[in-house]
Structures are given as C-alpha cells and as structure tokens.
Amino acid sequence: MNPDVQIIEKNGQPEWVVVSYEAYLELVEKVEMLQDTRDYDTVKAAITRGEEELIPAKVVDALLAGEQPVKVWREYRQMTRQHLAREAKISEPYLSQIESGKRNGSTEVLTALADALNINLDDLVIRNPSDE
C-alpha cells in the first residue's frame, strides 16, 4: 500500500481515503488530463462525422482583427458575392453593403447568410467588447 494513502473503514468496509496533498494534486492533474483526452476524442470524432470543422488560423485571425464576418466566411468558403446573394435570396448590392459595413442586415437576412455559409448565426454577429 502507498504510504501516502490511509484507508478508514466503517463496519469493516472502506469508507474514506486520506491522501497527502501532493498525492491529491497528482490525482487532480491526471483527472484533468483524462478529461482533456476525452474532449479531444469527442471533437475528433465529430470532425470525422462532419459535425464539426477545423477553421484555419487565417480565418480566426481575420475575425479577431475585426474584419466583417460575412466577407471573411464568404471568402473562406470560396463563394462569390453573386453566389452567396443568390443562396441567401438577397440582392448582390445588399450583400455588398453588409460586407462593407454600410448596412447591418436584419436577423432574417443574417440567418439566411449563415445558412448559406453553413455556419451558426452567432458566427456573423459582431460583438462590441465594451458590451460584455
């Protein structure tokens, strides 16, 4: 038996285990590593099934830099404005105004764009850090 472990019995059955703080920290680290491994396996399986996708750093960097999300995602999906506008059932000039920041787009339009780009609506919403 590990000298860092003390088992306390009740009615002849193990009831409590007392471990050193060092052993406790080691256990916590191992549990966290196991959870990380499980999370990785879950995401990897979802990617394999086509339920998740890997987004290149270039796209993430552009979004974090404040570039217009519709344009960033459209370019990443290699869609022309004409094609995206047709898929979202909006005019190409309206899409151009959204991408240039001249118009925001209604919830319905942004939802149609998100659907056409195969992303969540949240991926198109520009958040102001001061609002959080």
Side-chain angles (χ1 to χ4, degrees):
M1 178 168 18
N2 186 333
D4 289 340
V5 176
Q6 176 187 4
I7 298 175
I8 302 171
E9 294 182 355
K10 181 178 179 181
N11 300 324
Q13 298 294 318
E15 181 76 16
W16 296 91
V17 175
V18 180
V19 297
S20 68
Y21 188 68
E22 185 178 309
Y24 164 76
L25 291 176
E26 187 178 328
L27 285 170
V28 168
E29 184 179 335
K30 287 180 179 183
V31 166
E32 289 173 350
M33 181 64 79
L34 177 61
Q35 187 59 53
D36 289 346
T37 301
R38 287 180 176 166
D39 291 345
Y40 170 83
D41 290 343
T42 299
V43 171
K44 188 174 177 183
I47 290 169
T48 300
R49 292 189 305 268
E51 297 168 0
E52 291 287 340
E53 71 176 305
L54 297 175
I55 306 299
K58 178 181 169 182
V59 173
V60 175
D61 290 345
L63 294 169
L64 291 175
E67 293 186 33
Q68 212 293 328
V70 174
K71 182 178 180 182
V72 171
W73 284 107
R74 178 182 60 76
E75 290 175 349
Y76 171 62
R77 298 287 191 225
Q78 299 179 347
M79 296 173 82
T80 64
R81 272 196 194 108
Q82 182 181 22
H83 181 230
L84 178 57
R86 185 175 55 247
E87 291 292 314
K89 296 181 176 58
I90 62 172
S91 71
E92 192 175 341
Y94 186 17
L95 175 59
S96 180
Q97 290 173 340
I98 291 171
E99 287 188 351
S100 68
K102 293 179 182 169
R103 293 180 76 176
N104 292 326
S106 67
T107 302
E108 293 78 18
V109 167
L110 292 177
T111 299
L113 289 168
D115 289 345
L117 292 165
N118 195 29
I119 57 175
N120 292 321
L121 177 59
D122 286 351
D123 294 325
L124 294 183
V125 177
I126 301 172
R127 290 180 178 77
N128 185 343
S130 64
D131 292 342
E132 295 179 7

